[in-house]
Amino acid sequence: MVPPGFSVQPVAEEVCAGIHQVTLDTSDQEVWIPFSLELGRVVPEGPAADLYVRRQLFQAPYGALDLGEGALEDAVLPIERTWVEDESIDEVPQNPVLCRWYSYSYFSHLLTSRGETQAVRLASGKSAILDVVSYYCENETSGCLTFRYKLVDG
């Protein structure tokens, strides 16, 4: 059974107090989608992009941090934090913290969210805490990456 799917919605919508959700078309295996968490939308490549997404992979140009299991609503940044930089993994630039958001089933070949939260440092110096909800589209195909996030100071 395919995890829940979503239709592409490249502009973030507030789904509850302070929590935003976006679904990006990440199906192209070659194109990185630049996204601004503060603006809540896809932006041109450059300093406004807080994340780059391709397929199930993320780049976080300003760093990321693993916050572990827990609800997004309750997640907070630790006082002491070390932001993890992007690196080359299997010859693809990506963030090692954000590449662990899913579990892969060798039987069904499906990706499912581990239900963990991560933090991303933004271009502005603020941060966002996010969790990935799904990698599937409404029609049960892959490549519609849905994540929720909240903006925080720090």
Side-chain angles (χ1 to χ4, degrees), residues 19-37:
I19 306 289
H20 298 83
Q21 181 170 303
V22 64
T23 301
L24 301 175
D25 178 358
T26 63
S27 59
D28 191 310
Q29 294 186 24
E30 303 298 323
V31 176
W32 288 95
I33 308 297
F35 190 81
S36 167
L37 294 160

Side-chain angles (χ1 to χ4, degrees), residues 65 67 76-83 154:
L65 180 65
L67 301 178
V76 295
L77 290 175
I79 294 170
E80 298 289 325
R81 49 188 173 252
T82 302
W83 296 101

Side-chain angles (χ1 to χ4, degrees), residues 1-3 102-112 136 140:
M1 178 177 207
V2 176
Y102 64 91
S103 294
Y104 176 73
S105 169
Y106 288 97
F107 297 108
S108 66
H109 302 290
L110 297 175
L111 304 180
T112 54
Y136 295 95
E140 298 187 353

Side-chain angles (χ1 to χ4, degrees):
M1 178 177 207
V2 176
F6 296 85
S7 58
V8 172
Q9 179 186 346
V11 176
E13 285 190 3
E14 191 169 29
V15 292
C16 62
I19 306 289
H20 298 83
Q21 181 170 303
V22 64
T23 301
L24 301 175
D25 178 358
T26 63
S27 59
D28 191 310
Q29 294 186 24
E30 303 298 323
V31 176
W32 288 95
I33 308 297
F35 190 81
S36 167
L37 294 160
E38 277 194 287
L39 298 175
R41 62 181 172 81
V42 174
V43 294
E45 283 190 44
D50 303 309
L51 287 175
Y52 286 86
V53 188
R54 182 179 88 188
R55 303 292 291 166
Q56 77 280 6
L57 306 176
F58 286 89
Q59 294 176 1
Y62 306 104
L65 180 65
D66 185 9
L67 301 178
E69 290 185 30
L72 175 63
E73 293 79 1
D74 301 327
V76 295
L77 290 175
I79 294 170
E80 298 289 325
R81 49 188 173 252
T82 302
W83 296 101
V84 177
E85 305 274 328
D86 293 349
E87 60 185 61
S88 182
I89 301 172
D90 297 327
E91 299 182 25
V92 178
Q94 57 189 291
N95 192 284
V97 167
L98 297 171
C99 74
R100 295 180 290 212
W101 70 263
Y102 64 91
S103 294
Y104 176 73
S105 169
Y106 288 97
F107 297 108
S108 66
H109 302 290
L110 297 175
L111 304 180
T112 54
S113 175
R114 291 182 181 204
E116 297 179 355
T117 56
Q118 294 85 25
V120 175
R121 189 166 44 177
L122 309 182
S124 67
K126 291 184 178 183
S127 300
I129 298 175
L130 63 90
D131 69 357
V132 178
V133 177
S134 177
Y135 176 62
Y136 295 95
C137 305
E138 207 168 40
N139 63 2
E140 298 187 353
T141 59
S142 62
C144 294
L145 188 74
T146 301
F147 60 92
R148 298 180 321 140
Y149 69 94
K150 66 181 180 180
L151 300 172
V152 295
D153 289 327

